């Protein structure tokens, strides 16, 4: 019996180009910033105003790094096992030289917190109370500044000692630490149910149980309402040589100082300037992308979930929209909006797009990890104008079920795609990078499974969908990497959802994406 032979097409998608100053394009952010400067760079150097909060030791480490950021930071010499030419590493030329912005280290607004106060807060018996107490130590300094000072800060830097990282995460065990009693008992994790005593007993302090006990999420949620961007830095990132184990080695393996400098400067620029440092040169005009995310609300008695959307434009920057809370979970891993909530969410996105571009998008892509049911999709489709082709795309990570190999010392090239049919393909967003002559990864890369699920018009060519996704892996402005493995619509969806699901973020509406990372 002869079976029909099926041959799948393997194609390579060129590395997307990024746009910088003087209308110049390169594939690597570091090259573009070093040679040309950020996209739409100001004629004159802009001075940014930084506020820093931390322990006296943490502030000292940050001020040391602040001095380094305004100067050149070289890549260390190669070690015995390193290549002679490490093209994936670049000297950091200084924040003014690369980004056209600067700051005066001695003018940084400083607020110190006693390490004993942080230790006391994080050893409170109830974990929710401990985390909120630690967050309040930092956030109250900002409120104090706003109440007493006229100078507006562009970005707040939280310098965190390791005890916050160790004790203020959802799964922190805090074993072997002497805990002290606070307002709540140890096992309380949700609000008390006392309907008969409502209005008699003040239970307002129990709002801490509407949040997950996570310092990072709670800090971002608090600053949403204060309208500040922030950068959270660990003391061990700033001074790794000061934190060593018994053998004398740093307790954390970190990137080289030049790379740390690039990443710190990129975050500071992005969070203080109106436009991001680069944009996609290959972006198709009239196209917008939405990343859809669902997060279960902490301790919600109705088991409701929060829905949020991130919209990314050709300019590169993103806007976050809070959708409605509701019973959106339909199975363990599936979430679907009701018709009214779906309509309202898409209308918010379209209004913001049209405010900026004066016309609706030609194509609007919804990226998510789940499918779309009929009720949800029909509501989306009815909300968009007839000139807009709405396209639903599922982006799933894979483990080891699909591998592709090639001859040579390195794995498949980044940008390799295995076309399954007109609507489905595997895409390797990680792989060998000829431009850097390396593969940055620990094992044979796994592809993303891309599926075009639905569209209101003709489905776009699968190759266009893959090119768009490749481009969206290059606009993570919280670092200065060549690329990410996930498009920004999916990579940061979890982070946005984590913040918006917090009870303390209730009421936070449309905000630029930079407030969430």
């Amino acid at each position: 019996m002869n079976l029909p032979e099926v041959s799948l097409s393997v194609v390579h998608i060129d590395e997307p180009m990024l746009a910088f100053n003087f209308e110049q394009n390169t594939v690597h952010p570091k090259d573009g910033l070093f040679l040309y400067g950020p996209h739409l760079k100001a004629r004159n150097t802009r001075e940014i105003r930084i506020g820093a909060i931390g322990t006296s030791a943490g502030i000292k480490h940050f001020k040391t790094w602040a001095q380094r950021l305004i100067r050149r930071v070289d890549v260390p010499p190669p070690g015995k096992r390193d290549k002679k030419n490490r093209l994936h590493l670049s000297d950091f030329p200084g924040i003014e030289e690369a980004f056209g912005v600067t700051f005066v280290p001695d003018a940084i607004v400083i607020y110190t917190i006693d390490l004993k106060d942080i230790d006391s807060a994080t050893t409170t018996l109830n974990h929710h109370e401990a985390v909120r107490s630690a967050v309040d130590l930092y956030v109250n300094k900002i409120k104090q500044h706003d109440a007493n000072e006229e100078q507006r800060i562009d970005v707040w830097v939280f310098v965190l000692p390791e005890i916050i990282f160790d004790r203020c995460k959802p799964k922190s065990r805090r074993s072997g630490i002497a805990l002290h009693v606070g307002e709540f008992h140890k096992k309380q994790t949700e609000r008390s149910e006392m309907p008969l005593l409502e209005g008699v007993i003040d239970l307002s302090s129990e709002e801490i149980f509407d949040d997950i006990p996570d310092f990072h999420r709670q800090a971002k949620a608090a600053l949403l309402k204060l309208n500040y961007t922030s950068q959270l830095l660990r003391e061990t990132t700033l001074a790794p040589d000061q934190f060593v184990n018994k053998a004398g080695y740093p307790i954390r393996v970190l990137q080289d100082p030049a790379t740390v400098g690039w990443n710190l400067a990129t975050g500071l620029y992005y969070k203080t300037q109106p436009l991001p440092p680069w944009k996609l040169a290959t972006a198709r005009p009239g196209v917008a992308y939405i990343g859809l995310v669902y997060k279960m609300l902490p301790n919600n008695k109705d088991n409701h979930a929060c829905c949020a959307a991130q919209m990314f434009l050709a300019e590169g920057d993103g806007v976050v929209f809070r959708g409605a809370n509701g019973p959106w979970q339909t199975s363990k891993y599936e979430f679907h909006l009701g018709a009214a909530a779906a309509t309202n969410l898409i209308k918010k996105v379209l209004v913001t797009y049209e405010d900026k571009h004066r016309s609706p998008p030609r194509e609007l892509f919804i990226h998510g990890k789940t499918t779309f049911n009929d009720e949800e999709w029909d509501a989306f489709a009815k909300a968009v104008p007839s000139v807009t082709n709405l396209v639903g795309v599922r982006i799933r990570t894979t483990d080891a079920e699909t591998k592709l190999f090639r001859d040579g010392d390195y794995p498949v090239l980044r940008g390799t795609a295995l076309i399954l049919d007109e609507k489905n393909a595997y895409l390797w967003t990680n792989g060998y990078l000829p431009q850097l002559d390396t593969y940055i990864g620990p094992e044979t890369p796994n592809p993303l499974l891309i599926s075009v699920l639905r569209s209101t018009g003709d489905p776009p060519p699968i190759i266009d969908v893959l090119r768009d996704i490749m481009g969206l892996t290059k606009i993570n402005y919280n670092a200065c990497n060549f690329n990410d493995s996930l498009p920004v619509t999916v990579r940061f969806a979890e982070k946005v959802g984590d913040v918006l699901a917090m009870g303390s973020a209730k009421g936070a509406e449309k905000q630029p994406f930079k407030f969430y990372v």
Side-chain angles (χ1 to χ4, degrees):
M1 178 180 178
N2 294 324
L3 297 175
E5 188 173 304
V6 178
S7 179
L8 299 177
S9 174
V10 178
V11 299
H12 181 260
I13 298 170
D14 291 337
E15 191 64 40
M17 300 290 282
L18 303 174
F20 295 90
N21 197 28
F22 306 116
E23 299 182 353
Q24 299 297 307
N25 300 335
T26 70
V27 297
H28 199 327
K30 293 178 183 176
D31 291 344
L33 293 167
F34 182 86
L35 294 171
Y36 314 115
H39 177 64
L40 296 181
K41 178 182 177 182
R43 289 187 177 182
N44 299 319
T45 299
R46 294 174 176 171
E47 185 173 324
I48 58 178
R49 297 180 296 271
I50 300 174
I53 306 171
T55 66
S56 56
I59 292 298
K60 181 181 178 181
H61 299 323
F62 177 69
K63 294 185 81 171
T64 299
W65 246 110
Q67 291 286 351
R68 298 182 75 178
L69 281 177
I70 60 176
R71 296 182 174 86
R72 179 186 175 98
V73 182
D74 291 330
V75 174
K80 293 181 179 179
R81 298 183 179 181
D82 293 331
K83 286 183 177 181
K84 181 180 180 181
N85 297 314
R86 296 165 295 165
L87 301 181
H88 63 291
L89 301 179
S90 301
D91 295 337
F92 175 65
I95 192 168
E96 183 175 359
E97 288 76 9
F99 292 90
V101 299
T102 190
F103 59 89
V104 179
D106 290 339
I108 295 174
V109 175
I110 300 296
Y111 290 97
T112 58
I113 302 173
D114 195 316
L115 182 61
K116 293 180 180 178
D117 292 336
I118 296 177
D119 181 65
S120 177
T122 56
T123 53
T124 306
L125 186 62
N126 183 280
H127 194 208
H128 284 77
E129 187 178 357
V131 174
R132 175 59 64 84
S133 298
V135 171
D136 285 345
L137 288 174
Y138 283 79
V139 173
N140 287 341
K141 296 294 185 182
I142 298 177
K143 293 179 179 179
Q144 172 189 331
H145 176 87
D146 287 347
N148 300 320
E149 304 293 338
E150 293 184 0
Q151 182 186 22
R152 173 74 182 180
I153 300 299
D154 295 321
V155 60
W156 285 98
V157 176
F158 286 11
V159 185
L160 308 179
E162 284 302 285
I163 58 174
I164 285 183
F165 187 81
D166 292 337
R167 302 174 186 176
C168 296
K169 301 178 75 174
K171 295 184 179 180
S172 296
R173 298 182 63 88
R174 300 193 297 167
S175 57
I177 301 172
L179 304 178
H180 63 88
V181 177
E183 183 178 351
F184 303 99
H185 63 79
K186 182 177 182 178
K187 294 186 178 180
Q188 184 171 353
T189 59
E190 56 188 42
R191 287 177 180 262
S192 305
E193 293 190 12
M194 299 188 210
L196 297 179
L197 297 178
E198 187 174 348
V200 178
I201 299 178
D202 182 11
L203 298 176
S204 59
S205 60
E206 292 195 351
E207 52 90 22
I208 64 171
F209 299 112
D210 295 338
D211 284 349
I212 291 172
D214 183 282
F215 185 96
H216 185 277
R217 301 183 208 178
Q218 289 195 24
K220 293 293 182 180
L223 293 186
L224 275 179
K225 293 187 175 181
L226 296 177
N227 200 34
Y228 280 115
T229 58
S230 60
Q231 191 86 346
L232 275 59
L233 301 174
R234 293 165 67 176
E235 291 181 4
T236 50
T237 299
L238 300 174
D241 57 321
Q242 299 296 310
F243 302 89
V244 297
N245 57 24
K246 293 180 180 179
Y249 294 102
I251 61 174
R252 291 178 61 208
V253 178
L254 297 173
Q255 297 167 309
D256 66 281
T259 300
V260 173
W262 276 110
N263 292 340
L264 286 177
T266 302
L268 289 174
Y269 181 92
Y270 175 53
K271 293 174 181 180
T272 60
Q273 302 304 305
L275 292 174
W278 62 84
K279 73 172 189 176
L280 285 170
T282 55
R284 297 184 292 132
V287 179
Y289 311 90
I290 301 173
L292 207 57
V293 62
Y294 298 89
K295 280 289 180 179
M296 300 303 297
L297 295 172
N299 299 322
N300 184 271
K301 62 181 180 180
D302 297 317
N303 207 29
H304 282 184
C306 168
C307 174
Q310 319 159 66
M311 179 176 67
F312 291 89
L313 308 174
E315 289 78 6
D317 202 3
V319 180
V320 173
F321 303 87
R322 175 192 281 277
N325 298 339
W328 313 136
Q329 187 176 33
T330 56
S331 65
K332 185 175 182 180
Y333 299 110
E334 286 285 327
F335 294 82
H336 299 287
L337 288 173
T343 299
N344 185 53
L345 184 61
I346 289 295
K347 284 184 176 180
K348 286 183 180 180
V349 171
L350 290 171
V351 166
T352 300
Y353 184 94
E354 292 180 30
D355 284 346
K356 189 174 183 65
H357 294 275
R358 305 302 179 197
S359 61
R362 181 170 51 84
E363 285 184 294
L364 182 60
F365 287 85
I366 303 179
H367 290 173
K369 295 182 178 180
T370 64
T371 59
F372 306 95
N373 64 22
D374 292 338
E375 178 189 10
E376 180 180 37
W377 184 258
D378 289 345
F380 285 150
K382 290 176 181 177
V384 299
S386 58
V387 297
T388 299
N389 185 17
L390 182 67
V391 183
V393 179
R394 184 177 62 189
I395 301 174
R396 294 175 56 191
T397 56
T398 62
D399 292 325
E401 64 267 29
T402 303
K403 295 284 187 181
L404 190 62
F405 299 93
R406 72 181 186 99
D407 292 334
D409 295 332
Y410 289 110
V412 296
L413 274 66
R414 164 175 151 84
T416 300
L418 179 65
I419 309 299
L420 303 178
D421 55 40
E422 293 180 349
K423 294 185 177 182
N424 298 278
Y426 286 109
L427 175 65
W428 277 261
T429 51
N430 268 347
Y432 174 64
L433 300 170
Q435 300 90 340
L436 305 183
D437 189 29
T438 192
Y439 162 59
I440 303 174
E443 59 183 9
T444 305
N446 297 316
L448 302 178
L449 177 57
I450 312 299
S451 300
V452 179
L453 301 177
R454 303 196 186 209
S455 63
T456 55
D458 294 333
I462 187 66
I463 200 71
D464 286 350
V465 176
L466 300 180
R467 285 196 185 102
D468 289 350
I469 291 172
M470 281 285 288
L472 292 169
T473 65
K474 297 182 74 75
I475 54 173
N476 170 14
Y477 303 120
N478 212 32
C480 200
N481 300 326
F482 186 88
N483 69 276
D484 283 336
S485 59
L486 288 171
V488 69
T489 45
V490 174
R491 174 178 170 79
F492 288 107
E494 294 293 323
K495 291 182 179 293
V496 169
D498 284 341
V499 174
L500 285 181
M502 307 293 270
S504 54
K506 187 176 182 179
E509 294 300 328
K510 180 183 73 176
Q511 285 276 32
F513 181 63
K514 65 182 71 176
F515 283 83
Y516 295 82
V517 294

